Amino acid sequence: MKNRRLFWRIVQGIETSIKSGEYTVGSRLPAERELAEKFNVSRPTIREAIIALEVRGQVEVKTGSGVYVIESASLESNVVNAFELTQARALIEGEVAALAALSINDDELEALSETLDMMEKNQDSDSIEEADKLFHKIISTATRNEAMILSVKNLWSLRASTREIIEDYKNVCSSDNKLTLKEHTAIYLALKEKDAAKARLAMHQHFNRLINTLFDAIESKALAEVQRKNNEKRDLYSLESLVKSK
């Protein structure tokens, strides 16, 4: 998260204001100068943030009139995104790991070890996701708590709930398979030691890395789209294009 560009902080701030109702659908955002003063950034940074918000379907830019919040922004406010899902998984599965450390048996530890072998042997295969899912399922089962088991199952179902989450997780989970294996191994060792605090911490560290990787991947995608839109506008308003059209 510390690597996020400055404009991304502005995007998140304005999106939060939209979701909270500070900026309602149909309302006009404050002027560029006001936003620059509010966030203590330059006006070009605000322009980049507005373009990103437009790309994300949050606002509409009306030339000569201003920037307006559009309907799709309110419709998306109740949809779980990849960040919310990952944060929820970190909190819930951290406690799942802590509880499992107190009751996991040898057979379950052996099954976890087998998923690690599966991940190591299939670093460039889709089956690594199957091993990942099985790993977390075994840990939830080891809690002996049906509510915990159901919670983890539902969180995995949410991974396939929207096209955006599927794509975001695919980009993240396929990029650092070796790190995933290393983190899973740390969780496994903590469970083997029956150390609840260590298991919780290892699980939190695993998801913290996922959240940061998620930010990097989505930021890169947003920046590429912002650059594309900027280039379109540059071509539209450049004197060279006007001269060529004559």
Side-chain angles (χ1 to χ4, degrees):
M1 287 185 278
K2 64 182 180 181
N3 295 323
R4 281 178 288 168
R5 295 182 186 272
L6 184 59
F7 90 95
W8 199 249
R9 176 172 63 84
I10 315 304
V11 171
Q12 289 189 304
I14 294 175
E15 284 185 333
T16 297
S17 296
I18 290 173
K19 289 184 177 182
S20 69
E22 180 180 349
Y23 303 140
T24 58
V25 173
S27 67
R28 185 173 63 182
L29 292 185
E32 188 179 278
R33 175 182 54 78
E34 293 179 48
L35 289 173
E37 291 176 356
K38 177 180 179 179
F39 290 102
N40 193 29
V41 295
S42 66
R43 292 174 71 168
T45 300
I46 293 297
R47 290 188 203 113
E48 284 189 327
I50 294 301
I51 292 173
L53 286 164
E54 187 178 17
V55 169
R56 289 161 68 86
Q58 300 287 312
V59 302
E60 179 183 7
V61 178
K62 296 183 179 180
T63 305
S65 178
V67 182
Y68 293 83
V69 180
I70 59 178
E71 182 67 29
S72 61
S74 66
L75 291 176
E76 290 177 0
S77 63
N78 293 322
V79 176
V80 174
N81 61 47
F83 298 107
E84 293 168 332
L85 173 59
T86 308
Q87 184 182 58
R89 288 187 64 195
L91 294 172
I92 294 172
E93 294 202 47
E95 296 311 307
V96 165
L99 185 58
L102 305 177
S103 56
I104 195 166
N105 60 40
D106 290 341
D107 288 340
E108 288 162 338
L109 285 169
E110 178 62 28
L112 283 180
S113 180
E114 289 174 3
T115 68
L116 298 179
D117 290 339
M118 193 186 307
M119 293 183 75
E120 187 171 15
K121 294 174 182 176
N122 298 280
Q123 283 290 304
D124 301 317
S125 170
D126 290 339
S127 62
I128 196 168
E129 184 173 339
E130 180 184 343
D132 183 23
K133 184 176 182 178
L134 182 57
F135 179 86
H136 289 275
K137 180 181 178 181
I138 293 168
I139 295 174
S140 70
T141 301
T143 65
R144 314 286 181 251
N145 183 311
E146 288 300 325
M148 289 290 200
I149 295 170
L150 182 60
S151 294
V152 172
K153 181 180 179 180
N154 287 339
L155 287 170
W156 273 90
S157 295
L158 278 173
R159 278 190 55 166
S161 63
T162 67
R163 178 176 56 81
E164 288 76 12
I165 290 180
I166 293 172
E167 290 181 356
D168 290 340
Y169 260 84
K170 183 177 180 180
N171 291 334
V172 169
C173 295
S174 63
S175 62
D176 292 309
N177 288 336
K178 289 183 179 180
L179 282 176
T180 300
L181 174 58
K182 181 179 179 181
E183 291 157 359
H184 276 208
T185 301
I187 296 167
Y188 163 75
L189 291 174
L191 291 170
K192 190 175 182 180
E193 293 171 17
K194 311 290 186 180
D195 190 325
K198 196 171 180 180
R200 180 189 294 110
L201 177 60
M203 188 67 80
H204 283 173
Q205 291 175 333
H206 171 51
F207 282 111
N208 188 57
R209 196 266 303 174
L210 287 181
I211 289 173
N212 281 292
T213 306
L214 204 57
F215 266 116
D216 290 341
I218 292 179
E219 177 190 327
S220 296
K221 184 178 178 181
L223 285 171
E225 188 62 20
V226 168
Q227 185 64 52
R228 185 187 69 77
K229 282 225 155 202
N230 269 330
N231 288 338
E232 285 181 357
K233 291 187 177 182
R234 185 179 292 112
D235 292 340
L236 179 64
Y237 295 112
S238 71
L239 291 178
E240 288 184 3
S241 64
L242 291 174
V243 171
K244 289 179 181 178
S245 64
K246 291 183 178 180

